[in-house]
Amino acid sequence: MRSRPFALADLDAVVALIGRGELGEDVELDGKSRSTVASALGPPLVDPDRDVRLWCGDDGALRGFAWIRVEAVGAEVHGRLHYVIGASHDLSLEPEIVGWAGDRLAEDATGARRLVHPVAIRDLPRAARLARLGFVIYRSRVCMERTTAAPIPDLPLPPGYRMRASRGVADIDAYAAAFNQAFADSHDFSPLTVAELVHDMTQATYRPDRDLIVEDGGGAMVGFCYVTDDAAAPSQAYIGTVAVVRSHRGLGLGGALIAAALHALRADGVTDVQLHVDTDSPTGALRLYQRLGFTIRNAEVRYARSP
């Protein structure tokens, strides 16, 4: 067994390995199209030369794959590790993958750092193996879902606000500012950069008409509902982010944005909508989504260790 860097020519093999899911799915990329996987493994999200690693057998066949996203989170630096191992007889790769990730994180963080790995709650064998490698439960979140066939409420904005579709890159500076103001008090907050937004908004799958924005009476962006989709599943959509600037919370803006997004998605032929939310979100987002008809599909536990 040998490890080597990732190259674009490896993309099909990586997608196939993720799709097999024999030892638990990659909760970030499982079921995603080739183009979505390619986007996730490139800049500015990750450096493919340093942040992605492959493990191959003597015959050259791909046996394991890992990637890490290094982010500043408060006073710490976090490495969000994802990995897939193809078969049970290759489980000996797991400590090597974790060791590689720890070394990679140490390159960018000499102070406090934390290696974090999300695991589907039903994947008990992986959780047990991580515990033996020194990981402990750090945080949890749930995946929620809703069908657009169920009644969708009409939730108007309060007076003095208006809703519009995104103008894409023309809104980038205001978008980044609104995101960072909205989530500065959330768990594991890492500031959103303009480069990351440019990356997202220049993807072929980006739909400005599905990216709804709320402005106050002065025209300032105070909230948004960012919806993504995937060419592999045109009847499904994912609410990636619902943000309301803290000084405008409690007015019903978040609910109005989600309801408007659901109406638009149903009109566009989308039948199933999903989202993720931290179980202990300080904004009470879980309760809001439940009131809007979302139910819990599955849960994810984030395990962490400090290398």
Side-chain angles (χ1 to χ4, degrees):
M1 192 79 66
R2 61 187 178 87
S3 70
R4 63 174 176 83
F6 168 78
L8 190 58
D10 298 309
L11 186 59
D12 288 333
V14 167
V15 172
L17 186 71
I18 293 171
R20 290 213 303 268
E22 295 176 10
L23 297 174
E25 73 272 26
D26 180 292
V27 296
E28 189 77 13
L29 295 180
D30 187 56
K32 300 295 192 298
S33 68
R34 184 181 189 276
S35 61
T36 300
V37 175
S39 175
L41 299 182
L45 304 179
V46 299
D47 177 347
D49 294 328
R50 302 175 66 206
D51 300 337
V52 187
R53 196 76 182 171
L54 307 181
W55 282 260
C56 302
D58 293 337
D59 58 356
L62 182 63
R63 310 278 279 275
F65 150 76
W67 62 289
I68 186 172
R69 183 174 179 182
V70 180
E71 299 176 316
V73 177
E76 296 183 333
V77 175
H78 286 192
R80 301 179 188 272
L81 170 65
H82 300 266
Y83 64 90
V84 177
I85 298 173
S88 57
H89 58 259
D90 290 327
L91 278 177
S92 60
L93 287 177
E94 207 157 31
E96 185 174 344
I97 288 172
V98 171
W100 164 80
D103 291 343
R104 170 65 190 91
L105 179 58
E107 294 175 6
D108 286 357
T110 56
R113 57 189 186 271
R114 193 187 302 265
L115 192 61
V116 181
H117 178 63
V119 180
I121 197 168
R122 59 182 174 271
D123 194 353
L124 297 179
R126 179 174 290 205
R129 296 194 306 269
L130 287 174
R132 290 194 291 270
L133 291 172
F135 284 80
V136 297
I137 292 176
Y138 172 59
R139 203 169 300 287
S140 63
R141 68 175 184 168
V142 292
C143 175
M144 306 187 76
E145 64 183 356
R146 188 195 199 280
T147 173
T148 59
I152 302 171
D154 292 310
L155 299 177
L157 289 169
Y161 294 89
R162 74 182 186 98
M163 191 180 302
R164 64 170 175 85
S166 169
R167 294 190 289 260
V169 293
D171 283 322
I172 276 183
D173 289 334
Y175 213 110
F179 179 97
N180 292 329
Q181 291 177 43
F183 292 106
D185 62 343
S186 65
H187 301 302
D188 297 342
F189 169 67
S190 180
L192 180 67
T193 67
V194 168
E196 290 170 330
L197 275 173
V198 169
H199 172 269
D200 291 344
M201 292 181 175
T202 53
Q203 297 299 308
T205 54
Y206 178 65
R207 293 272 303 271
D209 60 310
R210 289 187 176 179
D211 189 2
L212 301 179
I213 287 170
V214 168
E215 296 176 333
D216 65 13
M221 187 187 303
V222 297
F224 59 85
C225 180
Y226 174 65
V227 178
T228 64
D229 54 26
D230 193 294
S235 65
Q236 299 177 7
Y238 180 77
I239 296 178
T241 308
V242 180
V244 176
V245 171
R246 284 177 290 169
S247 58
H248 294 263
R249 288 178 186 168
L251 303 175
L253 303 185
L257 278 163
I258 298 167
L262 290 171
H263 280 293
L265 290 170
R266 180 168 63 185
D268 210 18
V270 173
T271 57
D272 300 293
V273 183
Q274 295 182 12
L275 56 83
H276 280 88
V277 60
D278 283 348
T279 54
D280 55 354
S281 169
T283 65
L286 179 60
R287 295 188 298 275
L288 171 62
Y289 298 140
Q290 289 172 326
R291 290 198 299 270
L292 289 170
F294 285 86
T295 58
I296 294 175
R297 178 185 182 187
N298 54 51
E300 166 194 313
V301 179
R302 297 178 192 176
Y303 289 81
R305 78 173 195 176
S306 298

